[in-house]
Amino acid sequence: MISRRGFLTRTAALSVASRLPHLWAADGRLLSVAHQAAERAADLVIIGGGAGGCAAALAACARGLRVIMTEETAWIGGQFTSQAVPPDENRWIESIGGSASYLALRAAVRDAYRGDPALNARARTNARLNPGNGWVSRVCAEPRVWLSVLESTLAPYVASGALTILRGTRAIAADVDRDTVRAVRVRDDAGRETVLRAPYFADATELGDLLPLCGAEHVSGAESRRMTGEPHAPEEAQPDNQQSFTVVFAMDYRAGETHTVERPAEYARWRQTMVTVDDTAWPLLSFDEPANKRIGFDPVARTGYWSYRRIIDHTLFAPGHYASDITLVNWWQNDYSFGPLVGVSPDEAQRHRRAAKSLSLCLLHWLQTEAPRPDGGQGWPGLRLRPDIVGTSDGLAMYPYVRESRRLRTRTLVREQDVLKNLLPPGTETTAFADSVGIGHYAMDLHRTTRGDTGGYGETVPFQIPLGALVPVRLRNLLPACKNLGVTHLTNGCFRLHPIEWNLGEAAGHLAATALSTKRPPVAVFEDTRRTRDLQRTLTNAGVRLAWPSPLPPG
């Protein structure tokens, strides 16, 4: 966190030089007169334009706020778009399992495909159209379609001037006065810096980047059992023990053609890497591990991992409209668990990102050249990388799929004993947070970690998002809006999914609007039952479900 004096000194230096543009070094030194710094103000500044950021912007703008939202990449949407991850959802998502705005988003994606004349009649009339027929999600669709729908949803607010989106922009410093964030300094890809001022700020970055800049109390990695009381937490805290992240890529299959990528420089390294599962070591680039072997892979038969995250099922369209299915590769084999992105230097984080990209390209090369085929042969050279699907020149997603972020220390901490079925009293059907601002459900799904934990998959009850998990222990005007709310290393595994992140962002947007309209900070809303109830009525009127019905309907 840059000191307030340092922040103001930099800002003052810009004012002194008035019309002259500037370029600053990371340590605060003025390097050259290169770009003119700007200053912008809004009611709410959202740093990060992922799923939660977009939902926060939508909710806040609908309440009449002026909003500035930044996004590090060229695409807003996060998991849906720049990370190329189809939505992981709950079994009630088609009816009661998400907020009205989230369900509308999914419906708009389906309608976008129904607008394609090449879609066949049976698929067009399917109320639950799944463009890819992938089995990870009920709406497996192309990242660009999710992007188009998100941009269309926000377009009226952009056109009216209520919403400003700064793409290719990241936070680099914050001005904090005691318990209040006054401004955040951002820098775009061209090196231009802008000071963003607002009474409220939301951190919707994928890694919780704003938290250390603001000096917010936060944690990363695994908490100790003493800190959380969780039975499955380690005895000692492990800040470096974080879930793996994945660089996703898209591919199709062109039988009889050769699209083999050049052998990556690190291929031998990854080909020799072993991963231990249940005390047995398995080659990372293989389908040998028992769970992977059961799934298998066959792009000709269109089975196994091929259909897992498939985003286009070419049989739903007129012959020739798509030459092949298109699938996304976010598998066990390219989960990068060999170093964290949080709690390390920027150089080390970049090294891990480059290595994760290398792993994904090595997986593709292995699939093209060595993967076992049902006929006894090796490799499918017809597998073709699809850069156009993910919007990059190298064919890899714009941003890694991040499963675990820095997490804000909040008034309420959601622990495994709050959501895990076998730790709750017998017969417990759902959680019961009186200050609920939304709902969610997913297994407590932890992927392989940086310390070699092989993960777990604990059954949870349908749960709620407590308001207290959005309210920092100290800062009065900073809100979480991604994976950085008050959860633990363990419960992050069930809170990190698309509809829950969207609901969190939506709640954060409404909370900021309520705080502004009542002139009371979020902590005052949390501490006053009457104000909490007022916020909950607002959320309910906006289509946000606060509780699961009892009994639960069939999924």
Side-chain angles (χ1 to χ4, degrees):
M1 178 180 70
I2 188 171
S3 69
R4 177 169 171 78
R5 182 175 181 180
F7 186 97
L8 293 176
T9 298
R10 283 174 63 169
T11 304
L14 293 174
S15 299
V16 169
S18 63
R19 301 175 185 275
L20 296 178
H22 299 75
L23 184 65
W24 296 92
D27 61 5
R29 293 176 296 108
L30 182 62
L31 292 179
S32 63
V33 178
H35 295 290
Q36 184 170 5
E39 186 167 312
R40 295 173 180 261
D43 299 313
L44 173 64
V45 167
I46 303 168
I47 302 298
C54 289
L58 184 64
C61 287
R63 293 281 300 276
L65 270 58
R66 295 173 300 115
V67 177
I68 296 172
M69 180 174 75
T70 68
E71 166 51 34
E72 186 173 336
T73 72
W75 287 0
I76 62 172
Q79 295 189 65
F80 291 111
T81 59
S82 61
Q83 296 173 43
V85 180
D88 291 294
E89 299 170 330
N90 61 72
R91 59 192 174 106
W92 298 280
I93 197 63
E94 300 289 358
S95 54
I96 62 168
S99 70
S101 64
Y102 184 81
L103 298 185
L105 183 75
R106 300 170 81 253
V109 168
R110 284 170 166 159
D111 285 344
Y113 283 94
R114 291 190 182 102
D116 186 343
L119 188 70
N120 66 44
R122 183 176 180 181
R124 192 182 310 280
T125 57
N126 182 358
R128 297 189 175 185
L129 170 64
N130 188 344
N133 276 331
W135 44 277
V136 75
S137 173
R138 299 184 187 187
V139 188
C140 283
E142 297 157 278
R144 285 184 184 274
V145 175
W146 287 104
L147 175 65
S148 175
V149 168
L150 284 165
E151 289 185 330
S152 296
T153 302
L154 295 173
Y157 297 114
V158 173
S160 71
L163 174 62
T164 300
I165 303 175
L166 305 178
R167 295 172 176 82
T169 300
R170 69 192 69 196
I172 59 169
D175 172 19
V176 180
D177 183 9
R178 298 180 184 176
D179 298 338
T180 302
V181 182
R182 299 297 184 189
V184 172
R185 181 180 288 270
V186 298
R187 179 184 293 146
D188 68 17
D189 290 341
R192 294 181 293 261
E193 293 189 4
T194 305
V195 175
L196 305 179
R197 300 188 182 277
Y200 287 94
F201 294 83
D203 184 346
T205 62
E206 300 299 327
L207 291 168
D209 294 335
L210 199 53
L211 304 186
L213 293 179
C214 293
E217 291 79 1
H218 66 279
V219 297
S220 60
E223 299 91 342
S224 70
R225 191 173 305 166
R226 181 177 57 81
M227 293 168 66
T228 67
E230 295 174 309
H232 295 100
E235 287 294 338
E236 300 295 330
Q238 300 171 346
D240 63 332
N241 196 14
Q242 300 163 27
Q243 283 203 65
S244 54
F245 66 94
T246 306
V247 175
V248 181
F249 62 91
M251 63 182 181
D252 62 8
Y253 180 67
R254 305 298 296 269
E257 298 180 6
T258 299
H259 296 280
T260 306
V261 297
E262 183 178 350
R263 179 185 167 108
E266 293 189 310
Y267 186 72
R269 169 198 172 184
W270 293 116
R271 190 70 181 90
Q272 295 165 12
T273 297
M274 307 292 285
V275 173
T276 300
V277 179
D278 295 331
D279 299 321
T280 301
W282 304 97
L284 180 59
L285 298 188
S286 76
F287 296 113
D288 294 349
E289 188 272 332
N292 285 289
K293 195 165 192 174
R294 284 193 297 271
I295 295 171
F297 174 76
D298 190 337
V300 176
R302 306 170 65 235
T303 57
Y305 270 122
W306 178 259
S307 58
Y308 177 42
R309 295 183 182 271
R310 184 173 56 196
I311 54 174
I312 287 295
D313 178 347
H314 79 279
T315 67
L316 300 183
F317 299 84
H321 188 64
Y322 287 97
S324 161
D325 294 346
I326 302 172
T327 194
L328 294 170
V329 180
N330 172 13
W331 302 347
W332 182 89
Q333 290 82 356
N334 62 331
D335 275 2
Y336 183 88
S337 59
F338 307 94
L341 295 176
V342 168
V344 296
S345 69
D347 286 346
E348 186 173 347
Q350 278 299 107
R351 180 171 63 81
H352 290 311
R353 288 181 67 162
R354 287 193 297 269
K357 288 186 173 186
S358 169
L359 173 57
S360 287
L361 288 175
C362 289
L363 172 58
L364 174 62
H365 185 77
W366 177 80
L367 290 168
Q368 293 170 324
T369 60
E370 293 191 70
R373 299 196 310 258
D375 64 4
Q378 290 187 314
W380 283 275
L383 293 172
R384 180 175 64 161
L385 194 61
R386 292 292 302 269
D388 56 314
I389 298 298
V390 294
T392 63
S393 59
D394 62 7
L396 302 173
M398 290 182 183
Y399 197 89
Y401 172 37
V402 173
R403 295 182 177 88
E404 185 172 350
S405 167
R406 299 176 183 90
R407 299 180 298 281
L408 190 64
R409 285 188 56 204
T410 54
R411 298 301 179 102
T412 301
L413 178 65
V414 183
R415 307 155 304 166
E416 67 168 334
Q417 56 266 45
D418 297 317
V419 298
L420 205 57
K421 190 169 186 177
N422 65 6
L423 297 180
L424 290 164
T428 301
E429 201 170 32
T430 67
T431 61
F433 287 107
D435 63 341
S436 172
V437 291
I439 61 171
H441 185 244
Y442 201 75
M444 202 170 75
D445 178 22
L446 284 93
H447 284 233
R448 194 170 60 240
T449 73
T450 51
R451 282 206 179 189
D453 296 346
T454 54
Y457 203 78
E459 184 181 359
T460 64
V461 298
F463 50 79
Q464 296 159 299
I465 305 169
L467 172 60
L470 278 69
V471 179
V473 294
R474 181 179 59 84
L475 290 176
R476 297 173 65 81
N477 67 333
L478 177 66
L479 298 170
C482 193
K483 303 175 186 71
N484 51 356
L485 75 164
V487 294
T488 69
H489 170 71
L490 297 176
T491 54
N492 164 75
C494 59
F495 272 78
R496 62 182 171 79
L497 294 313
H498 303 62
I500 304 165
E501 182 186 331
W502 181 273
N503 194 153
L504 171 64
E506 196 168 3
H510 279 289
L511 180 55
T514 295
L516 281 168
S517 66
T518 62
K519 297 182 173 57
R520 295 288 187 278
V523 66
V525 178
F526 167 70
E527 291 178 342
D528 186 322
T529 301
R530 179 177 58 83
R531 295 188 189 281
T532 298
R533 297 289 180 266
D534 288 343
L535 172 63
Q536 290 175 319
R537 278 190 289 272
T538 297
L539 290 167
T540 299
N541 291 337
V544 178
R545 283 188 173 272
L546 305 183
W548 293 91
S550 181
L552 287 163

